[in-house]
Amino acid sequence: MELFQNVVKLRGFLGRNADVPPSDGITEDAYTILHLATMSGTWDIATNDWKPRIDWHRIICPGPWFCGFTRGMRRGEYLEIEGELRDFEQDRTVVVVGKRYPAKHLSYTVHATRIQQLERPLLVVDTGDDG
């Protein structure tokens, strides 16, 4: 049994092409950024309606191996990604009534440890017609 565990597993579609550094810019510190969309939702009992929600996840793929593997990944590809959830703080400026104030903004990213390209699923749409 592990005392601590930080594992995130996501399955979804790329929202844009992989942001990969140029071939001559790949070093040990290089990384690729992926933007993965996942969908979930809730059923509204009062209206008998499904309320979908799309979440966007920023995936950091560290190292030259991931840079090579993700090169050529395009928007719409279906992926499964495993990684660690990490937070980071960014300095931002907030404007209130014309005055600028410094502010901290907390964001979360997933640092990939495994990426698998999956076969694109066939989407079945229920038209509601019986028969």
Side-chain angles (χ1 to χ4, degrees):
M1 179 178 88
E2 295 179 37
L3 187 58
F4 301 103
Q5 190 172 19
N6 180 2
V7 178
V8 175
K9 188 175 190 177
L10 300 169
R11 188 178 291 178
F13 293 94
L14 279 183
R16 60 173 105 159
N17 296 346
D19 186 8
V20 184
S23 295
D24 59 352
I26 296 178
T27 63
E28 287 299 315
D29 298 336
Y31 59 91
T32 296
I33 297 175
L34 302 176
H35 296 275
L36 193 77
T38 59
M39 191 165 128
S40 60
T42 57
W43 193 263
D44 185 349
I45 296 173
T47 62
N48 197 26
D49 198 19
W50 176 254
K51 304 287 185 191
R53 187 179 94 202
I54 296 175
D55 291 310
W56 289 93
H57 308 276
R58 186 169 185 252
I59 315 292
I60 305 293
C61 307
W65 187 88
F66 274 127
C67 289
F69 181 74
T70 57
R71 184 174 300 288
M73 284 189 176
R74 299 282 177 242
R75 178 179 180 222
E77 289 195 37
Y78 188 48
L79 302 176
E80 181 175 274
I81 297 175
E82 251 182 57
E84 296 180 350
L85 185 65
R86 298 189 187 170
D87 66 347
F88 66 95
E89 249 184 15
Q90 293 176 313
D91 291 326
R92 297 251 173 116
T93 302
V94 177
V95 178
V96 179
V97 191
K99 289 190 176 186
R100 296 180 176 272
Y101 298 96
K104 301 279 186 189
H105 176 74
L106 186 64
S107 295
Y108 291 91
T109 59
V110 174
H111 284 245
T113 55
R114 185 182 71 81
I115 298 176
Q116 181 179 0
Q117 287 180 299
L118 301 173
E119 189 134 343
R120 192 177 179 91
L122 295 174
L123 297 177
V124 178
V125 177
D126 183 7
T127 60
D129 297 334
D130 291 335

